[in-house]
Amino acid sequence: MTSAELKEKYEKPIDRIKHMSNMQILIRTFLMFAFLATVSIAVYLAVNGVPLFGLPGGKSIVKAEISAPRLTEETVVVTEGEFLEYSRNIVSYLGTDIKNDVPLDPGEPYVTIKYTTKKGELAEVAANEKYVFFNGEVKSLKRDNMFVVIAEGLFFPELTQYTSF
């Protein structure tokens, strides 16, 4: 029976389901979950931005060098403990905007993090209050200034004036 025939024959949706084949139920269920997943992903990307892909995984990072040239010439080097984990996790605040409107001169980065992996590979990510610099590309940030405030507050607390978010 087709869907139109089922609607005509049975008024209640539960009665229609009882008379569907298993394949029809399976297809409708799959389509419903596919639709919900698509909507969920679209809402997530609209709210948080597109995450950066290509950074090394947390377990493979052995060293992070954090610099904030607008605050100090010194570089903080982290090789173990919770601050190494923080250096990797704060990159989640670098969600890029889908529109990606970048001017010709996006400015200089305020915070730069250089990662070294167990294999000796290097990865560098930098950002200022509105743009992220990664893999030779500049992209606009979804959440302005969040990464810079957190990175400077975590790794250069004595030089920052941030008291609360």
Side-chain angles (χ1 to χ4, degrees):
M1 274 189 163
T2 66
S3 181
E5 291 171 343
L6 285 171
K7 280 183 183 179
E8 205 174 285
K9 188 172 182 179
Y10 304 103
E11 289 182 20
K12 296 180 182 175
I14 192 70
D15 292 333
R16 285 184 225 141
I17 292 172
K18 288 178 183 176
H19 291 86
M20 286 183 183
S21 70
N22 287 342
M23 186 55 82
Q24 287 176 318
I25 293 171
L26 181 67
I27 289 171
R28 286 182 182 218
T29 304
F30 174 77
L31 291 174
M32 179 187 65
F33 281 113
F35 174 76
L36 290 175
T38 304
V39 169
S40 298
I41 290 170
V43 169
Y44 176 85
L45 293 177
V47 171
N48 297 314
V50 180
L52 287 181
F53 295 105
L55 283 170
K59 300 283 185 190
S60 67
I61 297 173
V62 293
K63 181 171 83 170
E65 299 175 34
I66 302 96
S67 61
R70 75 175 183 165
L71 295 178
T72 182
E73 296 293 320
E74 294 179 24
T75 300
V76 174
V77 178
V78 182
T79 57
E80 58 185 41
E82 64 187 65
F83 283 98
L84 185 61
E85 187 177 333
Y86 293 157
S87 73
R88 174 63 173 111
N89 290 343
I90 63 172
V91 176
S92 65
Y93 291 105
L94 290 174
T96 58
D97 199 358
I98 295 172
K99 293 179 278 183
N100 200 26
D101 300 327
V102 179
L104 293 174
D105 182 21
E108 294 295 318
Y110 294 164
V111 175
T112 302
I113 302 178
K114 296 178 185 176
Y115 298 105
T116 306
T117 66
K118 291 176 183 176
K119 296 179 181 179
E121 298 169 348
L122 299 174
E124 182 177 323
V125 63
N128 60 22
E129 58 191 13
K130 294 191 180 265
Y131 305 101
V132 62
F133 307 84
F134 181 63
N135 281 345
E137 296 181 20
V138 180
K139 297 182 179 184
S140 58
L141 290 171
K142 183 67 176 174
R143 293 179 258 171
D144 293 351
N145 211 26
M146 180 74 75
F147 172 78
V148 173
V149 169
I150 293 173
E152 288 177 349
L154 272 172
F155 299 106
F156 304 95
E158 65 281 351
L159 301 173
T160 59
Q161 298 177 15
Y162 306 116
T163 55
S164 66
F165 295 98

